[in-house]
Amino acid sequence: MEAIKCCISTALLCIGFTVLVDSIMWQRILWPEFEVFWFNSVLNRSSEWGTHSIHWYFTSALPRSMLVAYPLCLVGALLDRRIVPYVLPVTLFVVLYSKLPHKELRFIIAAVPMLNVSASLAANRLYNNRKKSGWNFLYVLMLGAFLVSLGYSAVSFMASYSNYPGGHALKALHEADSSMKEKMVHIDVLTAMSGVSRFCENEYPWRRGRPFCSMSDTRRKRTFPLKNIRTEISPIY
């Protein structure tokens, strides 16, 4: 009961704080989490952001995120029934979210840790019985699957690393001009969404304009307007 009271009081405090801050920022009474819930779940308008099939979480999102742990979590639930009371709620959670037409992995990412626990039980059982007839083949198969998952993770990492054109554009700009005269870079919205962040910033003489600054302002200040590399890198003004 004490834990419930603590959770409720903390939730009310956090809700009050976010309502206060966001209402000031947006100039109207606003509870952002409730507004998102109302738009996506009650009004069921999440499909305006794109849709996937009802089975997408189970046939695409979870297999690609968990890799070899995905089949192992199913085996773990069969080998050790003690994990079922823990896996069942998160599975139902994913099932309920599957009803929404708009799907993203981040919506159900909280289910992955518990599914990994179930997978670890299966891996532990295979390891403990690796010297027994029949189990040794399954153990070798599991090790091979781990290596395949490691290779897939490495390839995916490199693909993700190369999938931020805004960051590559900013790096190219830094390398293109090494003079010490102070320079300001205008960053448009698409560039800010595709790799440009504070981690990309170099020291003086480079300065960054905010994404919502107008191009007319940047031209008056003689800046480098940096656009998304998929379209173009604008000339230096």
Side-chain angles (χ1 to χ4, degrees):
M1 182 59 71
E2 191 66 27
I4 295 177
K5 291 180 180 178
C6 181
C7 289
I8 293 176
S9 59
T10 303
L12 293 176
L13 178 64
C14 293
I15 291 173
F17 184 73
T18 188
V19 169
L20 175 64
V21 172
D22 283 279
S23 296
I24 294 174
M25 294 293 184
W26 290 92
Q27 298 296 304
R28 63 183 178 90
I29 301 299
L30 176 65
W31 178 10
E33 291 79 11
F34 177 78
E35 191 157 310
V36 170
F37 170 77
W38 186 266
F39 180 89
N40 289 333
S41 301
V42 179
L43 300 181
N44 197 24
R45 295 177 56 189
S46 61
S47 58
E48 296 179 15
W49 300 102
T51 63
H52 286 96
S53 59
I54 194 171
H55 54 77
W56 183 78
Y57 284 134
F58 292 100
T59 59
S60 181
L62 287 176
R64 285 185 292 112
S65 60
M66 297 180 63
L67 301 178
V68 67
Y70 187 60
L72 284 178
C73 77
L74 303 177
V75 176
L78 295 175
L79 294 178
D80 194 336
R81 297 301 176 88
R82 294 175 298 176
I83 195 64
V84 173
Y86 301 96
V87 171
L88 185 59
V90 298
T91 303
L92 293 177
F93 168 77
V94 177
V95 170
L96 290 175
Y97 261 84
S98 296
K99 179 180 178 297
L100 296 177
H102 177 64
K103 298 175 177 64
E104 296 182 34
L105 175 61
R106 62 190 178 96
F107 295 164
I108 53 99
I109 196 67
V112 172
M114 186 54 65
L115 297 177
N116 278 332
V117 171
S118 180
S120 68
L121 292 175
N124 181 67
R125 181 70 66 89
L126 290 172
Y127 176 80
N128 290 335
N129 294 279
R130 66 188 184 281
K131 296 182 180 180
K132 297 180 180 179
S133 177
W135 288 84
N136 52 1
F137 173 75
L138 296 176
Y139 176 69
V140 172
L141 190 64
M142 181 184 70
L143 293 180
F146 278 133
L147 293 177
V148 171
S149 295
L150 181 62
Y152 177 84
S153 298
V155 172
S156 299
F157 172 80
M158 295 307 299
S160 298
Y161 178 79
S162 302
N163 197 33
Y164 293 94
H168 288 293
L170 186 59
K171 181 180 178 181
L173 183 61
H174 287 156
E175 295 173 349
D177 191 297
S178 58
S179 64
M180 294 304 295
K181 184 178 179 181
E182 185 179 29
K183 297 172 281 287
M184 177 176 283
V185 180
H186 172 83
I187 300 169
D188 70 357
V189 175
L190 288 176
T191 307
M193 292 171 61
S194 59
V196 172
S197 69
R198 300 300 297 267
F199 296 104
C200 301
E201 294 184 4
N202 278 4
E203 299 176 355
Y204 181 88
W206 295 97
R207 294 174 56 200
R208 277 85 191 159
R210 297 180 179 178
F212 45 80
C213 293
S214 67
M215 284 299 296
S216 59
D217 291 338
T218 61
R219 287 192 176 96
R220 283 197 296 270
K221 296 177 182 178
R222 298 184 61 80
T223 66
F224 297 79
L226 182 65
K227 295 185 177 181
N228 192 297
I229 200 171
R230 287 173 179 162
T231 54
E232 63 174 322
I233 299 180
S234 296
I236 296 175
Y237 292 92

